[in-house]
Amino acid sequence: MSQPSSPNRRKILQLAGATGALASLGAVSGRIFSPALAAPAPKIRLAWTEVAACHSPLGFGVAKGIYAKHNLDVELFYQGASGQTLIQALATNKADAGAGLIGDWLKPLEQGFDVKLFVGSHGGCQRLLASKASGITDLAGVKGKTIATYGIGAPPQVAFQVTLAKSGIDPEADVTWKAVPFELVGDVVNRGEADLAAHLDPWAWSIEKKYNFTKIADTQTGVFENHTCCVLGANGPFLQANKDALRRLAEANIEVHEYTANHPDEVAQWYYDNLKPAGLSKEDLTEILGKLVYHNHPIGQALVDQIRITSEDLKLVKVLDPSTDPKEFAERITVNLLA
């Protein structure tokens, strides 16, 4: 296996996000990720969802020493398969930081949960899929149809409510949402009990391949192009005491996701060997990882901008409170590690 290289600071900063972030980074490049490497490596308990393909770079980064290279002792904490269990892991001090979908983070943070978001990981790990029998070939065809997903209010439902709303379809009145067990979303659609499936990868990818469904939308293209979907957050007390360590965690997060973008086969092999995902081959995992948008990992002002846009989207579909100011909210729930 080729060894993860040590990109210089200029390389890391070039990868950090949108143009605005790069401008900010350039202004303070001498102060960004500057750990005192002679000091003992601080420990960070990082919550993750090990069964999710898009989280595999985190495990790979620990196993291959990428976090250790940044003088961090990262311990992974399996928080379960939902955003609610991620929130619980941080709230009960079982983890110091965690990776999760923006759609899972924002409502608890609106309600006052003491977490700050600090860096994005990637974009695009949710799909809206139609059965061939439904005859649906585009978003216009979704109107009047039934969409199966694993939970009302779950991230795939929320994401594609936004997609539908921005396409002129009322995501409440014009479609029917059907909650089914997580592992049966594809089966329900294949049996004709619903017309479309909304799910997360790698399960969505497997459903698409197994049943030859048609991909109608995803969170990489259309209204979600250039959006990040997963971000890292840290609980407030840990952040206040360990800001320098979180700067290095952000740097390592950018590096490991860039490495995955360039070597999806290596990360897939690690995922396959260590986590043994049911029904997925190493080749399957390579394809899944290779198609995620791993170059999209905003930090600083670029992250604030992403959170503001997502907040506007979630207000549109009535997830966030009508009185919430997206700009103020985004600034309040993020921490600028470039400052």
Side-chain angles (χ1 to χ4, degrees):
M1 185 194 91
S2 60
Q3 292 298 314
S5 59
S6 299
N8 59 34
R9 179 171 287 116
R10 182 178 297 275
K11 178 68 172 176
I12 287 291
L13 302 184
Q14 288 173 342
L15 299 173
T19 303
L22 291 175
S24 298
L25 284 161
V28 292
S29 60
R31 297 189 283 119
I32 302 303
F33 303 118
S34 53
L37 293 177
K43 183 173 184 177
I44 298 179
R45 297 168 299 167
L46 182 64
W48 73 321
T49 299
E50 66 178 37
V51 294
C54 62
H55 281 210
S56 59
L58 306 180
F60 178 86
V62 171
K64 302 303 178 182
I66 295 176
Y67 294 104
K69 186 177 71 175
H70 291 267
N71 198 38
L72 295 171
D73 176 10
V74 172
E75 174 187 313
L76 294 173
F77 174 77
Y78 177 52
Q79 52 86 8
S82 79
Q84 294 309 305
T85 52
L86 168 60
I87 299 300
Q88 291 166 11
L90 294 176
T92 58
N93 200 34
K94 294 177 181 176
D96 306 306
L101 291 159
I102 292 182
D104 279 334
W105 283 118
L106 294 195
K107 189 62 181 180
L109 269 59
E110 182 191 46
Q111 296 172 331
F113 183 53
D114 187 12
V115 159
K116 301 289 187 185
L117 306 178
F118 62 94
V119 68
S121 293
H122 65 272
C125 54
Q126 299 170 74
R127 303 171 191 235
L128 181 65
L129 308 167
S131 68
K132 298 294 184 182
S134 73
I136 301 168
T137 58
D138 56 22
L139 282 170
V142 177
K143 187 172 182 178
K145 303 299 185 180
T146 297
I147 306 172
T149 192
Y150 62 85
I152 301 302
Q157 184 201 17
V158 173
F160 296 118
Q161 282 182 317
V162 171
T163 298
L164 294 175
K166 290 188 170 183
S167 299
I169 298 172
D170 188 320
E172 295 181 354
D174 291 342
V175 298
T176 299
W177 295 92
K178 182 172 184 173
V180 303
F182 191 95
E183 68 278 6
L184 297 180
V185 173
D187 294 338
V188 165
V189 176
N190 190 55
R191 292 198 301 263
E193 297 171 18
D195 304 295
L196 302 103
H199 217 326
L200 305 163
D201 285 335
W203 305 278
W205 183 92
S206 297
I207 289 168
E208 183 178 351
K209 296 294 182 181
K210 181 178 180 180
Y211 298 117
N212 193 30
F213 286 173
T214 300
K215 184 167 69 175
I216 304 301
D218 59 29
T219 51
Q220 293 185 14
T221 59
V223 301
F224 289 108
E225 189 167 1
N226 298 322
H227 284 220
T228 191
C229 68
C230 291
V231 298
L232 269 60
N235 70 39
F238 185 85
L239 168 66
Q240 291 304 314
N242 298 277
K243 187 170 287 188
D244 185 64
L246 286 175
R247 286 192 183 98
R248 283 179 275 142
L249 184 65
E251 178 186 25
N253 189 69
I254 292 170
E255 182 178 339
V256 73
H257 284 88
E258 283 298 320
Y259 191 85
T260 302
N262 296 316
H263 306 86
D265 55 329
E266 291 183 21
V267 180
Q269 187 68 63
W270 177 87
Y271 186 19
Y272 182 76
D273 291 342
N274 291 276
L275 302 179
K276 301 180 175 21
L280 293 170
S281 68
K282 185 256 185 179
E283 290 72 26
D284 294 337
L285 295 168
T286 299
E287 181 175 343
I288 294 168
L289 294 174
K291 290 184 176 179
L292 292 175
V293 187
Y294 280 121
H295 297 295
N296 191 354
H297 27 60
I299 187 170
Q301 185 60 45
L303 179 62
V304 175
D305 293 340
Q306 288 271 305
I307 300 300
R308 175 186 55 77
I309 292 167
T310 304
S311 299
E312 292 168 352
D313 289 345
L314 295 192
K315 283 189 67 176
L316 177 66
V317 296
K318 303 176 183 178
V319 171
L320 296 185
D321 192 275
S323 64
T324 294
D325 180 329
K327 181 177 182 295
E328 183 279 329
F329 179 55
E331 292 170 349
R332 173 167 60 84
I333 67 170
T334 55
V335 58
N336 186 353
L337 295 178
L338 313 182

